[in-house]
Amino acid sequence: MEAKPATLDAPRLLEAEHDAPGTVGADWNPVHTTSFRQPRGSIFYIGLGLGIIFAGWILGSLIASLLGFFRESLELGVVASSIALTGGCLAVFGIGREWRSLRALSQVDVLRTTLIGGTDTEAARRQCQAWLSGLDARVPEAPLIASALAEASSVAQLRGLLRSRLSEPLRLATRAIGIRAASEVSALVAISPHASWDGGIVALRGLKVIREVAQLYGLRPGPAVIAALLRRVARSAVETATLEATSQAAADHFLNNLPLVRHLGAVAGASTAAFRMYRLANVTAQSCSPFAE
């Protein structure tokens, strides 16, 4: 019978109670900690209720309108019903596409968790191949890596194969997206006629950065995916917004004391906006990558 490993003799930050049944060994290193779901707020229920009322009103108005057309004539009712049916099918198709896009994003999270702490090699291999199938059009190495996955005998080998073969190409492509966006934004901010335009310029170009990075990682960046990614990068946006406010205040103070170089006031805002675009590209890539650190 194999002996139980002893706890390492290391200094403890928290001392165990005298009557405690046992101590936590230094080898305890869980991959994930338990996270508690936050309760729904009042805004959620208010929005849900208003949405139900609006949808019911639309449906009731549509039914009443169709009945009115049928009272006028059978042909007119059939034409109106065909138009309504076509519009409804297109709406359902669009909702289905958004749902599939969100599901693909959630599958990236599942694959990331599997590669970190999973033990089922076959399941991890299928998930890796499904994810790589979405990269075929943008990453030439993806088909070769998908065929090489059959030689991996463990989840660790799958993770190592993806990182060694895809990490650098995706990083370089993300860097190119960030640099291009940073160059465009810095130029637009520098030549914008008013500082109030800067926020709109950065916001619009930031949405394009998120779309480009999501497409690079095989996702379809519809409105639902864009909203989900915006929620994930919100913390980075707050940090960079704080940096922008600080740097802009320092630049304004400096330029007010030196009127001769006041015409260079746009430089600080342009450089900070460029940094925001580059940082946004990297953070979005971490949210879309299944093997991000």
Side-chain angles (χ1 to χ4, degrees), residues 204-246:
L204 292 176
R205 193 59 182 89
L207 290 177
K208 187 176 180 181
V209 168
I210 294 177
R211 288 180 58 88
E212 291 176 350
V213 174
Q215 289 176 344
L216 174 65
Y217 281 84
L219 300 173
R220 196 191 70 83
V225 172
I226 293 295
L229 291 176
L230 281 174
R231 180 175 58 86
R232 297 186 181 194
V233 303
R235 180 176 179 181
S236 174
V238 171
E239 293 174 352
T240 52
T242 304
L243 174 63
E244 179 182 13
T246 304

mmCIF file of all heavy atoms in Angstrom, residues 204-246:
data_model
loop_
_atom_site.group_PDB
_atom_site.id
_atom_site.type_symbol
_atom_site.label_atom_id
_atom_site.label_comp_id
_atom_site.label_asym_id
_atom_site.label_seq_id
_atom_site.Cartn_x
_atom_site.Cartn_y
_atom_site.Cartn_z
ATOM 1 N N LEU A 204 -15.987 53.083 -32.087
ATOM 2 C CA LEU A 204 -16.273 52.426 -33.362
ATOM 3 C C LEU A 204 -15.105 51.553 -33.809
ATOM 4 O O LEU A 204 -15.306 50.420 -34.272
ATOM 5 C CB LEU A 204 -16.592 53.477 -34.428
ATOM 6 C CG LEU A 204 -17.898 54.256 -34.233
ATOM 7 C CD1 LEU A 204 -18.049 55.328 -35.300
ATOM 8 C CD2 LEU A 204 -19.092 53.304 -34.268
ATOM 9 N N ARG A 205 -13.890 52.080 -33.674
ATOM 10 C CA ARG A 205 -12.729 51.275 -34.089
ATOM 11 C C ARG A 205 -12.526 50.099 -33.136
ATOM 12 O O ARG A 205 -12.045 49.033 -33.550
ATOM 13 C CB ARG A 205 -11.473 52.148 -34.130
ATOM 14 C CG ARG A 205 -10.301 51.476 -34.847
ATOM 15 C CD ARG A 205 -10.677 51.144 -36.263
ATOM 16 N NE ARG A 205 -9.616 50.462 -36.981
ATOM 17 C CZ ARG A 205 -9.444 49.132 -37.007
ATOM 18 N NH1 ARG A 205 -10.290 48.364 -36.333
ATOM 19 N NH2 ARG A 205 -8.463 48.597 -37.690
ATOM 20 N N GLY A 206 -12.882 50.282 -31.860
ATOM 21 C CA GLY A 206 -12.764 49.173 -30.916
ATOM 22 C C GLY A 206 -13.707 48.025 -31.256
ATOM 23 O O GLY A 206 -13.333 46.845 -31.133
ATOM 24 N N LEU A 207 -14.921 48.350 -31.685
ATOM 25 C CA LEU A 207 -15.850 47.296 -32.106
ATOM 26 C C LEU A 207 -15.301 46.525 -33.306
ATOM 27 O O LEU A 207 -15.443 45.303 -33.392
ATOM 28 C CB LEU A 207 -17.213 47.903 -32.455
ATOM 29 C CG LEU A 207 -18.023 48.452 -31.288
ATOM 30 C CD1 LEU A 207 -19.314 49.091 -31.799
ATOM 31 C CD2 LEU A 207 -18.355 47.348 -30.295
ATOM 32 N N LYS A 208 -14.658 47.241 -34.217
ATOM 33 C CA LYS A 208 -14.058 46.567 -35.371
ATOM 34 C C LYS A 208 -12.900 45.676 -34.949
ATOM 35 O O LYS A 208 -12.711 44.577 -35.497
ATOM 36 C CB LYS A 208 -13.590 47.605 -36.389
ATOM 37 C CG LYS A 208 -13.112 46.984 -37.697
ATOM 38 C CD LYS A 208 -12.747 48.051 -38.707
ATOM 39 C CE LYS A 208 -12.270 47.419 -40.012
ATOM 40 N NZ LYS A 208 -11.875 48.453 -41.019
ATOM 41 N N VAL A 209 -12.117 46.109 -33.960
ATOM 42 C CA VAL A 209 -11.026 45.274 -33.451
ATOM 43 C C VAL A 209 -11.572 43.979 -32.861
ATOM 44 O O VAL A 209 -11.042 42.884 -33.122
ATOM 45 C CB VAL A 209 -10.214 46.058 -32.393
ATOM 46 C CG1 VAL A 209 -9.277 45.126 -31.633
ATOM 47 C CG2 VAL A 209 -9.410 47.153 -33.054
ATOM 48 N N ILE A 210 -12.635 44.082 -32.078
ATOM 49 C CA ILE A 210 -13.222 42.880 -31.481
ATOM 50 C C ILE A 210 -13.730 41.944 -32.560
ATOM 51 O O ILE A 210 -13.548 40.718 -32.477
ATOM 52 C CB ILE A 210 -14.354 43.280 -30.512
ATOM 53 C CG1 ILE A 210 -13.774 44.037 -29.317
ATOM 54 C CG2 ILE A 210 -15.114 42.052 -30.031
ATOM 55 C CD1 ILE A 210 -14.821 44.532 -28.348
ATOM 56 N N ARG A 211 -14.360 42.488 -33.593
ATOM 57 C CA ARG A 211 -14.853 41.651 -34.689
ATOM 58 C C ARG A 211 -13.695 40.940 -35.403
ATOM 59 O O ARG A 211 -13.769 39.738 -35.693
ATOM 60 C CB ARG A 211 -15.632 42.506 -35.693
ATOM 61 C CG ARG A 211 -16.989 42.982 -35.202
ATOM 62 C CD ARG A 211 -17.672 43.811 -36.287
ATOM 63 N NE ARG A 211 -17.818 43.025 -37.507
ATOM 64 C CZ ARG A 211 -18.847 42.240 -37.769
ATOM 65 N NH1 ARG A 211 -19.834 42.124 -36.880
ATOM 66 N NH2 ARG A 211 -18.919 41.562 -38.897
ATOM 67 N N GLU A 212 -12.622 41.653 -35.682
ATOM 68 C CA GLU A 212 -11.499 41.066 -36.406
ATOM 69 C C GLU A 212 -10.815 39.978 -35.591
ATOM 70 O O GLU A 212 -10.459 38.919 -36.128
ATOM 71 C CB GLU A 212 -10.503 42.157 -36.782
ATOM 72 C CG GLU A 212 -11.023 43.123 -37.831
ATOM 73 C CD GLU A 212 -10.044 44.254 -38.113
ATOM 74 O OE1 GLU A 212 -9.055 44.370 -37.357
ATOM 75 O OE2 GLU A 212 -10.261 45.012 -39.078
ATOM 76 N N VAL A 213 -10.633 40.204 -34.298
ATOM 77 C CA VAL A 213 -9.985 39.195 -33.462
ATOM 78 C C VAL A 213 -10.885 37.973 -33.312
ATOM 79 O O VAL A 213 -10.411 36.825 -33.353
ATOM 80 C CB VAL A 213 -9.630 39.792 -32.088
ATOM 81 C CG1 VAL A 213 -9.082 38.716 -31.165
ATOM 82 C CG2 VAL A 213 -8.602 40.911 -32.254
ATOM 83 N N ALA A 214 -12.191 38.200 -33.144
ATOM 84 C CA ALA A 214 -13.118 37.065 -33.030
ATOM 85 C C ALA A 214 -13.121 36.231 -34.305
ATOM 86 O O ALA A 214 -13.134 34.991 -34.257
ATOM 87 C CB ALA A 214 -14.523 37.578 -32.719
ATOM 88 N N GLN A 215 -13.099 36.870 -35.463
ATOM 89 C CA GLN A 215 -13.034 36.136 -36.719
ATOM 90 C C GLN A 215 -11.723 35.375 -36.843
ATOM 91 O O GLN A 215 -11.693 34.264 -37.387
ATOM 92 C CB GLN A 215 -13.202 37.101 -37.892
ATOM 93 C CG GLN A 215 -14.609 37.654 -38.049
ATOM 94 C CD GLN A 215 -14.713 38.677 -39.154
ATOM 95 O OE1 GLN A 215 -13.702 39.196 -39.626
ATOM 96 N NE2 GLN A 215 -15.930 38.993 -39.558
ATOM 97 N N LEU A 216 -10.641 35.969 -36.366
ATOM 98 C CA LEU A 216 -9.346 35.287 -36.406
ATOM 99 C C LEU A 216 -9.392 33.974 -35.636
ATOM 100 O O LEU A 216 -8.786 32.975 -36.059
ATOM 101 C CB LEU A 216 -8.265 36.198 -35.825
ATOM 102 C CG LEU A 216 -6.865 35.599 -35.651
ATOM 103 C CD1 LEU A 216 -6.254 35.256 -37.001
ATOM 104 C CD2 LEU A 216 -5.961 36.556 -34.889
ATOM 105 N N TYR A 217 -10.123 33.934 -34.533
ATOM 106 C CA TYR A 217 -10.214 32.732 -33.715
ATOM 107 C C TYR A 217 -11.403 31.851 -34.079
ATOM 108 O O TYR A 217 -11.837 31.017 -33.284
ATOM 109 C CB TYR A 217 -10.286 33.114 -32.239
ATOM 110 C CG TYR A 217 -8.944 33.477 -31.657
ATOM 111 C CD1 TYR A 217 -8.432 34.756 -31.791
ATOM 112 C CD2 TYR A 217 -8.165 32.524 -30.996
ATOM 113 C CE1 TYR A 217 -7.187 35.093 -31.273
ATOM 114 C CE2 TYR A 217 -6.933 32.850 -30.485
ATOM 115 C CZ TYR A 217 -6.451 34.139 -30.617
ATOM 116 O OH TYR A 217 -5.218 34.464 -30.108
ATOM 117 N N GLY A 218 -11.938 32.038 -35.275
ATOM 118 C CA GLY A 218 -12.959 31.140 -35.789
ATOM 119 C C GLY A 218 -14.359 31.405 -35.303
ATOM 120 O O GLY A 218 -15.237 30.540 -35.481
ATOM 121 N N LEU A 219 -14.638 32.552 -34.717
ATOM 122 C CA LEU A 219 -15.967 32.881 -34.234
ATOM 123 C C LEU A 219 -16.682 33.781 -35.240
ATOM 124 O O LEU A 219 -16.047 34.506 -36.009
ATOM 125 C CB LEU A 219 -15.898 33.584 -32.879
ATOM 126 C CG LEU A 219 -15.232 32.788 -31.749
ATOM 127 C CD1 LEU A 219 -15.087 33.657 -30.513
ATOM 128 C CD2 LEU A 219 -16.034 31.531 -31.421
ATOM 129 N N ARG A 220 -18.008 33.736 -35.212
ATOM 130 C CA ARG A 220 -18.796 34.642 -36.044
ATOM 131 C C ARG A 220 -19.230 35.804 -35.163
ATOM 132 O O ARG A 220 -20.107 35.659 -34.303
ATOM 133 C CB ARG A 220 -20.021 33.934 -36.620
ATOM 134 C CG ARG A 220 -20.668 34.683 -37.778
ATOM 135 C CD ARG A 220 -22.013 34.104 -38.134
ATOM 136 N NE ARG A 220 -22.986 34.386 -37.097
ATOM 137 C CZ ARG A 220 -23.657 35.527 -36.991
ATOM 138 N NH1 ARG A 220 -23.431 36.507 -37.836
ATOM 139 N NH2 ARG A 220 -24.531 35.701 -36.020
ATOM 140 N N PRO A 221 -18.638 36.982 -35.340
ATOM 141 C CA PRO A 221 -18.881 38.086 -34.405
ATOM 142 C C PRO A 221 -20.188 38.806 -34.675
ATOM 143 O O PRO A 221 -20.215 39.943 -35.163
ATOM 144 C CB PRO A 221 -17.672 38.996 -34.642
ATOM 145 C CG PRO A 221 -17.315 38.764 -36.067
ATOM 146 C CD PRO A 221 -17.639 37.326 -36.361
ATOM 147 N N GLY A 222 -21.311 38.155 -34.345
ATOM 148 C CA GLY A 222 -22.599 38.816 -34.420
ATOM 149 C C GLY A 222 -22.823 39.705 -33.217
ATOM 150 O O GLY A 222 -21.970 39.823 -32.329
ATOM 151 N N PRO A 223 -23.977 40.352 -33.140
ATOM 152 C CA PRO A 223 -24.249 41.246 -31.994
ATOM 153 C C PRO A 223 -24.165 40.542 -30.650
ATOM 154 O O PRO A 223 -23.671 41.122 -29.675
ATOM 155 C CB PRO A 223 -25.678 41.742 -32.278
ATOM 156 C CG PRO A 223 -25.839 41.610 -33.760
ATOM 157 C CD PRO A 223 -25.051 40.412 -34.152
ATOM 158 N N ALA A 224 -24.645 39.307 -30.567
ATOM 159 C CA ALA A 224 -24.610 38.599 -29.283
ATOM 160 C C ALA A 224 -23.175 38.305 -28.851
ATOM 161 O O ALA A 224 -22.819 38.477 -27.681
ATOM 162 C CB ALA A 224 -25.404 37.296 -29.385
ATOM 163 N N VAL A 225 -22.337 37.864 -29.771
ATOM 164 C CA VAL A 225 -20.938 37.574 -29.445
ATOM 165 C C VAL A 225 -20.189 38.867 -29.113
ATOM 166 O O VAL A 225 -19.374 38.895 -28.179
ATOM 167 C CB VAL A 225 -20.260 36.826 -30.613
ATOM 168 C CG1 VAL A 225 -18.763 36.693 -30.378
ATOM 169 C CG2 VAL A 225 -20.878 35.444 -30.778
ATOM 170 N N ILE A 226 -20.458 39.926 -29.861
ATOM 171 C CA ILE A 226 -19.812 41.206 -29.571
ATOM 172 C C ILE A 226 -20.178 41.675 -28.167
ATOM 173 O O ILE A 226 -19.320 42.140 -27.398
ATOM 174 C CB ILE A 226 -20.225 42.252 -30.611
ATOM 175 C CG1 ILE A 226 -19.659 41.891 -31.990
ATOM 176 C CG2 ILE A 226 -19.743 43.638 -30.198
ATOM 177 C CD1 ILE A 226 -18.169 41.922 -32.072
ATOM 178 N N ALA A 227 -21.466 41.546 -27.798
ATOM 179 C CA ALA A 227 -21.881 41.958 -26.455
ATOM 180 C C ALA A 227 -21.206 41.109 -25.392
ATOM 181 O O ALA A 227 -20.784 41.623 -24.340
ATOM 182 C CB ALA A 227 -23.406 41.858 -26.338
ATOM 183 N N ALA A 228 -21.103 39.790 -25.634
ATOM 184 C CA ALA A 228 -20.453 38.913 -24.657
ATOM 185 C C ALA A 228 -18.969 39.253 -24.508
ATOM 186 O O ALA A 228 -18.436 39.277 -23.392
ATOM 187 C CB ALA A 228 -20.628 37.451 -25.076
ATOM 188 N N LEU A 229 -18.304 39.524 -25.621
ATOM 189 C CA LEU A 229 -16.885 39.879 -25.547
ATOM 190 C C LEU A 229 -16.690 41.249 -24.910
ATOM 191 O O LEU A 229 -15.707 41.465 -24.189
ATOM 192 C CB LEU A 229 -16.271 39.848 -26.945
ATOM 193 C CG LEU A 229 -16.132 38.458 -27.586
ATOM 194 C CD1 LEU A 229 -15.599 38.572 -29.002
ATOM 195 C CD2 LEU A 229 -15.227 37.561 -26.756
ATOM 196 N N LEU A 230 -17.594 42.184 -25.158
ATOM 197 C CA LEU A 230 -17.496 43.485 -24.513
ATOM 198 C C LEU A 230 -17.610 43.356 -23.002
ATOM 199 O O LEU A 230 -16.916 44.050 -22.253
ATOM 200 C CB LEU A 230 -18.591 44.417 -25.050
ATOM 201 C CG LEU A 230 -18.329 45.065 -26.407
ATOM 202 C CD1 LEU A 230 -19.568 45.831 -26.860
ATOM 203 C CD2 LEU A 230 -17.130 45.991 -26.349
ATOM 204 N N ARG A 231 -18.478 42.464 -22.553
ATOM 205 C CA ARG A 231 -18.604 42.257 -21.112
ATOM 206 C C ARG A 231 -17.322 41.672 -20.540
ATOM 207 O O ARG A 231 -16.915 42.014 -19.424
ATOM 208 C CB ARG A 231 -19.777 41.315 -20.835
ATOM 209 C CG ARG A 231 -20.015 41.028 -19.365
ATOM 210 C CD ARG A 231 -21.259 40.185 -19.192
ATOM 211 N NE ARG A 231 -21.164 38.928 -19.911
ATOM 212 C CZ ARG A 231 -20.605 37.825 -19.424
ATOM 213 N NH1 ARG A 231 -20.046 37.849 -18.203
ATOM 214 N NH2 ARG A 231 -20.555 36.714 -20.130
ATOM 215 N N ARG A 232 -16.651 40.816 -21.310
ATOM 216 C CA ARG A 232 -15.421 40.196 -20.811
ATOM 217 C C ARG A 232 -14.248 41.173 -20.763
ATOM 218 O O ARG A 232 -13.377 41.045 -19.904
ATOM 219 C CB ARG A 232 -15.049 38.999 -21.698
ATOM 220 C CG ARG A 232 -16.088 37.890 -21.676
ATOM 221 C CD ARG A 232 -15.616 36.685 -22.449
ATOM 222 N NE ARG A 232 -16.617 35.628 -22.453
ATOM 223 C CZ ARG A 232 -16.373 34.373 -22.824
ATOM 224 N NH1 ARG A 232 -15.163 34.036 -23.222
ATOM 225 N NH2 ARG A 232 -17.332 33.478 -22.805
ATOM 226 N N VAL A 233 -14.230 42.111 -21.682
ATOM 227 C CA VAL A 233 -13.104 43.052 -21.715
ATOM 228 C C VAL A 233 -13.453 44.355 -21.010
ATOM 229 O O VAL A 233 -12.709 45.335 -21.128
ATOM 230 C CB VAL A 233 -12.667 43.338 -23.170
ATOM 231 C CG1 VAL A 233 -12.299 42.057 -23.884
ATOM 232 C CG2 VAL A 233 -13.760 44.080 -23.934
ATOM 233 N N ALA A 234 -14.565 44.382 -20.287
ATOM 234 C CA ALA A 234 -14.981 45.625 -19.616
ATOM 235 C C ALA A 234 -13.940 46.075 -18.602
ATOM 236 O O ALA A 234 -13.666 47.276 -18.458
ATOM 237 C CB ALA A 234 -16.327 45.432 -18.932
ATOM 238 N N ARG A 235 -13.335 45.132 -17.893
ATOM 239 C CA ARG A 235 -12.347 45.503 -16.889
ATOM 240 C C ARG A 235 -11.141 46.176 -17.529
ATOM 241 O O ARG A 235 -10.636 47.183 -17.025
ATOM 242 C CB ARG A 235 -11.905 44.259 -16.118
ATOM 243 C CG ARG A 235 -10.865 44.556 -15.047
ATOM 244 C CD ARG A 235 -10.533 43.303 -14.262
ATOM 245 N NE ARG A 235 -9.528 43.583 -13.244
ATOM 246 C CZ ARG A 235 -9.031 42.664 -12.425
ATOM 247 N NH1 ARG A 235 -9.454 41.424 -12.481
ATOM 248 N NH2 ARG A 235 -8.115 42.989 -11.530
ATOM 249 N N SER A 236 -10.700 45.640 -18.653
ATOM 250 C CA SER A 236 -9.572 46.270 -19.346
ATOM 251 C C SER A 236 -9.952 47.648 -19.851
ATOM 252 O O SER A 236 -9.146 48.580 -19.842
ATOM 253 C CB SER A 236 -9.120 45.387 -20.508
ATOM 254 O OG SER A 236 -8.124 46.023 -21.266
ATOM 255 N N ALA A 237 -11.205 47.802 -20.286
ATOM 256 C CA ALA A 237 -11.646 49.106 -20.764
ATOM 257 C C ALA A 237 -11.628 50.130 -19.640
ATOM 258 O O ALA A 237 -11.246 51.289 -19.842
ATOM 259 C CB ALA A 237 -13.052 48.993 -21.351
ATOM 260 N N VAL A 238 -12.027 49.717 -18.432
ATOM 261 C CA VAL A 238 -11.998 50.635 -17.297
ATOM 262 C C VAL A 238 -10.564 51.030 -16.974
ATOM 263 O O VAL A 238 -10.260 52.206 -16.705
ATOM 264 C CB VAL A 238 -12.683 49.995 -16.079
ATOM 265 C CG1 VAL A 238 -12.476 50.836 -14.832
ATOM 266 C CG2 VAL A 238 -14.164 49.806 -16.342
ATOM 267 N N GLU A 239 -9.647 50.056 -16.993
ATOM 268 C CA GLU A 239 -8.258 50.355 -16.676
ATOM 269 C C GLU A 239 -7.650 51.329 -17.685
ATOM 270 O O GLU A 239 -6.986 52.296 -17.309
ATOM 271 C CB GLU A 239 -7.454 49.053 -16.640
ATOM 272 C CG GLU A 239 -7.845 48.126 -15.493
ATOM 273 C CD GLU A 239 -7.118 46.810 -15.588
ATOM 274 O OE1 GLU A 239 -6.445 46.589 -16.616
ATOM 275 O OE2 GLU A 239 -7.226 45.995 -14.655
ATOM 276 N N THR A 240 -7.890 51.073 -18.964
ATOM 277 C CA THR A 240 -7.318 51.946 -19.977
ATOM 278 C C THR A 240 -7.994 53.304 -19.982
ATOM 279 O O THR A 240 -7.366 54.318 -20.306
ATOM 280 C CB THR A 240 -7.423 51.301 -21.372
ATOM 281 O OG1 THR A 240 -8.783 50.894 -21.592
ATOM 282 C CG2 THR A 240 -6.520 50.095 -21.462
ATOM 283 N N ALA A 241 -9.290 53.361 -19.634
ATOM 284 C CA ALA A 241 -9.963 54.658 -19.538
ATOM 285 C C ALA A 241 -9.363 55.484 -18.409
ATOM 286 O O ALA A 241 -9.184 56.703 -18.533
ATOM 287 C CB ALA A 241 -11.455 54.456 -19.314
ATOM 288 N N THR A 242 -9.034 54.838 -17.296
ATOM 289 C CA THR A 242 -8.378 55.544 -16.193
ATOM 290 C C THR A 242 -7.013 56.071 -16.619
ATOM 291 O O THR A 242 -6.630 57.207 -16.311
ATOM 292 C CB THR A 242 -8.232 54.614 -14.989
ATOM 293 O OG1 THR A 242 -9.515 54.113 -14.620
ATOM 294 C CG2 THR A 242 -7.614 55.340 -13.807
ATOM 295 N N LEU A 243 -6.267 55.228 -17.330
ATOM 296 C CA LEU A 243 -4.962 55.667 -17.837
ATOM 297 C C LEU A 243 -5.107 56.851 -18.772
ATOM 298 O O LEU A 243 -4.335 57.804 -18.725
ATOM 299 C CB LEU A 243 -4.270 54.497 -18.548
ATOM 300 C CG LEU A 243 -2.962 54.827 -19.260
ATOM 301 C CD1 LEU A 243 -1.918 55.293 -18.273
ATOM 302 C CD2 LEU A 243 -2.475 53.626 -20.039
ATOM 303 N N GLU A 244 -6.136 56.811 -19.627
ATOM 304 C CA GLU A 244 -6.341 57.903 -20.574
ATOM 305 C C GLU A 244 -6.644 59.203 -19.833
ATOM 306 O O GLU A 244 -6.108 60.261 -20.165
ATOM 307 C CB GLU A 244 -7.480 57.567 -21.530
ATOM 308 C CG GLU A 244 -7.748 58.680 -22.521
ATOM 309 C CD GLU A 244 -8.911 58.360 -23.431
ATOM 310 O OE1 GLU A 244 -9.637 57.412 -23.138
ATOM 311 O OE2 GLU A 244 -9.085 59.083 -24.420
ATOM 312 N N ALA A 245 -7.526 59.131 -18.828
ATOM 313 C CA ALA A 245 -7.876 60.336 -18.087
ATOM 314 C C ALA A 245 -6.647 60.921 -17.379
ATOM 315 O O ALA A 245 -6.429 62.135 -17.371
ATOM 316 C CB ALA A 245 -8.982 60.018 -17.077
ATOM 317 N N THR A 246 -5.833 60.040 -16.799
ATOM 318 C CA THR A 246 -4.638 60.512 -16.092
ATOM 319 C C THR A 246 -3.634 61.151 -17.050
ATOM 320 O O THR A 246 -3.111 62.246 -16.791
ATOM 321 C CB THR A 246 -3.981 59.344 -15.354
ATOM 322 O OG1 THR A 246 -4.944 58.755 -14.475
ATOM 323 C CG2 THR A 246 -2.782 59.813 -14.550
#
